[in-house]
PDB file of all heavy atoms in Angstrom:
ATOM      1  N   VAL A  39      41.104   9.499  -3.634  1.00  0.00           N
ATOM      2  CA  VAL A  39      40.972   8.490  -4.705  1.00  0.00           C
ATOM      3  C   VAL A  39      42.320   8.231  -5.286  1.00  0.00           C
ATOM      4  O   VAL A  39      43.130   9.130  -5.425  1.00  0.00           O
ATOM      5  CB  VAL A  39      39.997   9.005  -5.773  1.00  0.00           C
ATOM      6  CG1 VAL A  39      40.040   8.212  -7.022  1.00  0.00           C
ATOM      7  CG2 VAL A  39      38.534   9.019  -5.218  1.00  0.00           C
ATOM      8  N   SER A  40      42.610   6.941  -5.637  1.00  0.00           N
ATOM      9  CA  SER A  40      43.908   6.595  -6.219  1.00  0.00           C
ATOM     10  C   SER A  40      43.716   5.585  -7.318  1.00  0.00           C
ATOM     11  O   SER A  40      42.585   5.191  -7.628  1.00  0.00           O
ATOM     12  CB  SER A  40      44.834   5.998  -5.129  1.00  0.00           C
ATOM     13  OG  SER A  40      44.319   4.698  -4.766  1.00  0.00           O
ATOM     14  N   GLY A  41      44.811   5.112  -7.862  1.00  0.00           N
ATOM     15  CA  GLY A  41      44.742   4.065  -8.867  1.00  0.00           C
ATOM     16  C   GLY A  41      44.171   2.713  -8.388  1.00  0.00           C
ATOM     17  O   GLY A  41      43.795   1.862  -9.158  1.00  0.00           O
ATOM     18  N   GLU A  42      44.124   2.590  -7.056  1.00  0.00           N
ATOM     19  CA  GLU A  42      43.511   1.362  -6.468  1.00  0.00           C
ATOM     20  C   GLU A  42      41.989   1.495  -6.353  1.00  0.00           C
ATOM     21  O   GLU A  42      41.299   0.533  -6.051  1.00  0.00           O
ATOM     22  CB  GLU A  42      44.102   1.120  -5.105  1.00  0.00           C
ATOM     23  CG  GLU A  42      45.554   0.829  -5.106  1.00  0.00           C
ATOM     24  CD  GLU A  42      46.144   0.713  -3.707  1.00  0.00           C
ATOM     25  OE1 GLU A  42      45.694   1.444  -2.815  1.00  0.00           O
ATOM     26  OE2 GLU A  42      47.017  -0.127  -3.548  1.00  0.00           O
ATOM     27  N   THR A  43      41.420   2.677  -6.616  1.00  0.00           N
ATOM     28  CA  THR A  43      39.988   2.902  -6.475  1.00  0.00           C
ATOM     29  C   THR A  43      39.320   2.582  -7.790  1.00  0.00           C
ATOM     30  O   THR A  43      39.726   3.023  -8.866  1.00  0.00           O
ATOM     31  CB  THR A  43      39.723   4.400  -6.136  1.00  0.00           C
ATOM     32  OG1 THR A  43      40.524   4.787  -5.025  1.00  0.00           O
ATOM     33  CG2 THR A  43      38.258   4.600  -5.777  1.00  0.00           C
ATOM     34  N   LYS A  44      38.257   1.810  -7.742  1.00  0.00           N
ATOM     35  CA  LYS A  44      37.451   1.456  -8.923  1.00  0.00           C
ATOM     36  C   LYS A  44      36.064   2.085  -8.811  1.00  0.00           C
ATOM     37  O   LYS A  44      35.436   2.029  -7.727  1.00  0.00           O
ATOM     38  CB  LYS A  44      37.307  -0.026  -9.067  1.00  0.00           C
ATOM     39  CG  LYS A  44      38.613  -0.780  -9.197  1.00  0.00           C
ATOM     40  CD  LYS A  44      39.384  -0.480 -10.428  1.00  0.00           C
ATOM     41  CE  LYS A  44      40.648  -1.261 -10.539  1.00  0.00           C
ATOM     42  NZ  LYS A  44      41.821  -0.690  -9.957  1.00  0.00           N
ATOM     43  N   PHE A  45      35.612   2.651  -9.918  1.00  0.00           N
ATOM     44  CA  PHE A  45      34.273   3.284 -10.015  1.00  0.00           C
ATOM     45  C   PHE A  45      33.417   2.490 -10.947  1.00  0.00           C
ATOM     46  O   PHE A  45      33.791   2.254 -12.079  1.00  0.00           O
ATOM     47  CB  PHE A  45      34.389   4.745 -10.594  1.00  0.00           C
ATOM     48  CG  PHE A  45      35.182   5.657  -9.720  1.00  0.00           C
ATOM     49  CD1 PHE A  45      36.562   5.693  -9.798  1.00  0.00           C
ATOM     50  CD2 PHE A  45      34.505   6.503  -8.858  1.00  0.00           C
ATOM     51  CE1 PHE A  45      37.315   6.611  -9.026  1.00  0.00           C
ATOM     52  CE2 PHE A  45      35.247   7.416  -8.110  1.00  0.00           C
ATOM     53  CZ  PHE A  45      36.615   7.467  -8.150  1.00  0.00           C
ATOM     54  N   TYR A  46      32.249   2.061 -10.471  1.00  0.00           N
ATOM     55  CA  TYR A  46      31.313   1.249 -11.239  1.00  0.00           C
ATOM     56  C   TYR A  46      30.096   2.143 -11.593  1.00  0.00           C
ATOM     57  O   TYR A  46      29.271   2.386 -10.726  1.00  0.00           O
ATOM     58  CB  TYR A  46      30.911   0.009 -10.461  1.00  0.00           C
ATOM     59  CG  TYR A  46      32.114  -0.872 -10.149  1.00  0.00           C
ATOM     60  CD1 TYR A  46      32.897  -0.663  -9.060  1.00  0.00           C
ATOM     61  CD2 TYR A  46      32.403  -1.936 -11.026  1.00  0.00           C
ATOM     62  CE1 TYR A  46      34.010  -1.454  -8.791  1.00  0.00           C
ATOM     63  CE2 TYR A  46      33.533  -2.746 -10.774  1.00  0.00           C
ATOM     64  CZ  TYR A  46      34.304  -2.482  -9.647  1.00  0.00           C
ATOM     65  OH  TYR A  46      35.396  -3.270  -9.403  1.00  0.00           O
ATOM     66  N   TYR A  47      30.079   2.621 -12.808  1.00  0.00           N
ATOM     67  CA  TYR A  47      29.060   3.608 -13.260  1.00  0.00           C
ATOM     68  C   TYR A  47      27.834   2.965 -13.860  1.00  0.00           C
ATOM     69  O   TYR A  47      27.902   1.873 -14.501  1.00  0.00           O
ATOM     70  CB  TYR A  47      29.667   4.519 -14.324  1.00  0.00           C
ATOM     71  CG  TYR A  47      30.304   5.762 -13.802  1.00  0.00           C
ATOM     72  CD1 TYR A  47      31.645   5.713 -13.270  1.00  0.00           C
ATOM     73  CD2 TYR A  47      29.643   6.986 -13.790  1.00  0.00           C
ATOM     74  CE1 TYR A  47      32.223   6.877 -12.782  1.00  0.00           C
ATOM     75  CE2 TYR A  47      30.247   8.105 -13.250  1.00  0.00           C
ATOM     76  CZ  TYR A  47      31.542   8.040 -12.793  1.00  0.00           C
ATOM     77  OH  TYR A  47      32.142   9.171 -12.300  1.00  0.00           O
ATOM     78  N   TYR A  48      26.705   3.643 -13.702  1.00  0.00           N
ATOM     79  CA  TYR A  48      25.395   3.253 -14.297  1.00  0.00           C
ATOM     80  C   TYR A  48      24.762   4.513 -14.810  1.00  0.00           C
ATOM     81  O   TYR A  48      25.011   5.634 -14.348  1.00  0.00           O
ATOM     82  CB  TYR A  48      24.513   2.575 -13.253  1.00  0.00           C
ATOM     83  CG  TYR A  48      25.206   1.355 -12.647  1.00  0.00           C
ATOM     84  CD1 TYR A  48      25.924   1.429 -11.470  1.00  0.00           C
ATOM     85  CD2 TYR A  48      25.147   0.126 -13.328  1.00  0.00           C
ATOM     86  CE1 TYR A  48      26.557   0.339 -10.971  1.00  0.00           C
ATOM     87  CE2 TYR A  48      25.790  -0.996 -12.832  1.00  0.00           C
ATOM     88  CZ  TYR A  48      26.485  -0.868 -11.634  1.00  0.00           C
ATOM     89  OH  TYR A  48      27.142  -2.000 -11.128  1.00  0.00           O
ATOM     90  N   GLN A  49      23.906   4.317 -15.795  1.00  0.00           N
ATOM     91  CA  GLN A  49      23.237   5.474 -16.412  1.00  0.00           C
ATOM     92  C   GLN A  49      21.849   5.105 -16.832  1.00  0.00           C
ATOM     93  O   GLN A  49      21.593   3.997 -17.331  1.00  0.00           O
ATOM     94  CB  GLN A  49      24.033   5.934 -17.651  1.00  0.00           C
ATOM     95  CG  GLN A  49      23.404   7.109 -18.368  1.00  0.00           C
ATOM     96  CD  GLN A  49      24.286   7.578 -19.501  1.00  0.00           C
ATOM     97  OE1 GLN A  49      25.512   7.448 -19.486  1.00  0.00           O
ATOM     98  NE2 GLN A  49      23.645   8.164 -20.540  1.00  0.00           N
ATOM     99  N   GLN A  50      20.896   6.029 -16.598  1.00  0.00           N
ATOM    100  CA  GLN A  50      19.528   5.886 -17.106  1.00  0.00           C
ATOM    101  C   GLN A  50      19.165   7.277 -17.665  1.00  0.00           C
ATOM    102  O   GLN A  50      19.046   8.220 -16.865  1.00  0.00           O
ATOM    103  CB  GLN A  50      18.576   5.473 -15.954  1.00  0.00           C
ATOM    104  CG  GLN A  50      17.167   5.271 -16.456  1.00  0.00           C
ATOM    105  CD  GLN A  50      16.234   4.837 -15.326  1.00  0.00           C
ATOM    106  OE1 GLN A  50      16.546   5.048 -14.147  1.00  0.00           O
ATOM    107  NE2 GLN A  50      15.162   4.227 -15.668  1.00  0.00           N
ATOM    108  N   ASP A  51      19.030   7.367 -18.979  1.00  0.00           N
ATOM    109  CA  ASP A  51      18.816   8.625 -19.658  1.00  0.00           C
ATOM    110  C   ASP A  51      19.966   9.590 -19.249  1.00  0.00           C
ATOM    111  O   ASP A  51      21.094   9.271 -19.419  1.00  0.00           O
ATOM    112  CB  ASP A  51      17.418   9.176 -19.391  1.00  0.00           C
ATOM    113  CG  ASP A  51      16.324   8.209 -19.840  1.00  0.00           C
ATOM    114  OD1 ASP A  51      16.466   7.663 -20.972  1.00  0.00           O
ATOM    115  OD2 ASP A  51      15.331   8.006 -19.107  1.00  0.00           O
ATOM    116  N   LYS A  52      19.619  10.728 -18.657  1.00  0.00           N
ATOM    117  CA  LYS A  52      20.658  11.725 -18.274  1.00  0.00           C
ATOM    118  C   LYS A  52      21.129  11.548 -16.828  1.00  0.00           C
ATOM    119  O   LYS A  52      22.080  12.155 -16.416  1.00  0.00           O
ATOM    120  CB  LYS A  52      20.102  13.166 -18.439  1.00  0.00           C
ATOM    121  CG  LYS A  52      19.998  13.559 -19.902  1.00  0.00           C
ATOM    122  CD  LYS A  52      19.706  15.011 -20.014  1.00  0.00           C
ATOM    123  CE  LYS A  52      19.791  15.453 -21.471  1.00  0.00           C
ATOM    124  NZ  LYS A  52      19.667  16.881 -21.626  1.00  0.00           N
ATOM    125  N   MET A  53      20.522  10.623 -16.097  1.00  0.00           N
ATOM    126  CA  MET A  53      20.903  10.374 -14.688  1.00  0.00           C
ATOM    127  C   MET A  53      22.075   9.395 -14.665  1.00  0.00           C
ATOM    128  O   MET A  53      22.076   8.411 -15.358  1.00  0.00           O
ATOM    129  CB  MET A  53      19.725   9.817 -13.939  1.00  0.00           C
ATOM    130  CG  MET A  53      20.015   9.545 -12.447  1.00  0.00           C
ATOM    131  SD  MET A  53      18.530   9.068 -11.532  1.00  0.00           S
ATOM    132  CE  MET A  53      18.021   7.624 -12.403  1.00  0.00           C
ATOM    133  N   ILE A  54      23.078   9.703 -13.828  1.00  0.00           N
ATOM    134  CA  ILE A  54      24.208   8.767 -13.654  1.00  0.00           C
ATOM    135  C   ILE A  54      24.391   8.521 -12.151  1.00  0.00           C
ATOM    136  O   ILE A  54      24.038   9.350 -11.314  1.00  0.00           O
ATOM    137  CB  ILE A  54      25.506   9.336 -14.285  1.00  0.00           C
ATOM    138  CG1 ILE A  54      25.877  10.698 -13.710  1.00  0.00           C
ATOM    139  CG2 ILE A  54      25.384   9.430 -15.782  1.00  0.00           C
ATOM    140  CD1 ILE A  54      26.887  10.613 -12.611  1.00  0.00           C
ATOM    141  N   TRP A  55      24.931   7.345 -11.833  1.00  0.00           N
ATOM    142  CA  TRP A  55      25.320   7.058 -10.447  1.00  0.00           C
ATOM    143  C   TRP A  55      26.438   6.026 -10.442  1.00  0.00           C
ATOM    144  O   TRP A  55      26.639   5.368 -11.477  1.00  0.00           O
ATOM    145  CB  TRP A  55      24.102   6.559  -9.602  1.00  0.00           C
ATOM    146  CG  TRP A  55      23.510   5.240 -10.033  1.00  0.00           C
ATOM    147  CD1 TRP A  55      23.766   4.011  -9.534  1.00  0.00           C
ATOM    148  CD2 TRP A  55      22.509   5.044 -11.059  1.00  0.00           C
ATOM    149  NE1 TRP A  55      23.003   3.058 -10.168  1.00  0.00           N
ATOM    150  CE2 TRP A  55      22.260   3.679 -11.104  1.00  0.00           C
ATOM    151  CE3 TRP A  55      21.888   5.904 -11.980  1.00  0.00           C
ATOM    152  CZ2 TRP A  55      21.371   3.117 -12.026  1.00  0.00           C
ATOM    153  CZ3 TRP A  55      21.003   5.332 -12.868  1.00  0.00           C
ATOM    154  CH2 TRP A  55      20.743   3.993 -12.880  1.00  0.00           C
ATOM    155  N   ALA A  56      27.130   5.912  -9.372  1.00  0.00           N
ATOM    156  CA  ALA A  56      28.249   4.969  -9.282  1.00  0.00           C
ATOM    157  C   ALA A  56      28.502   4.565  -7.831  1.00  0.00           C
ATOM    158  O   ALA A  56      28.178   5.286  -6.918  1.00  0.00           O
ATOM    159  CB  ALA A  56      29.509   5.532  -9.920  1.00  0.00           C
TER     160      ALA A  56
END
Side-chain angles (χ1 to χ4, degrees):
V39 166
S40 70
E42 297 175 324
T43 311
K44 301 294 182 272
F45 296 83
Y46 298 85
Y47 269 82
Y48 301 95
Q49 179 176 331
Q50 183 178 22
D51 300 318
K52 288 190 171 186
M53 181 174 58
I54 58 97
W55 65 97

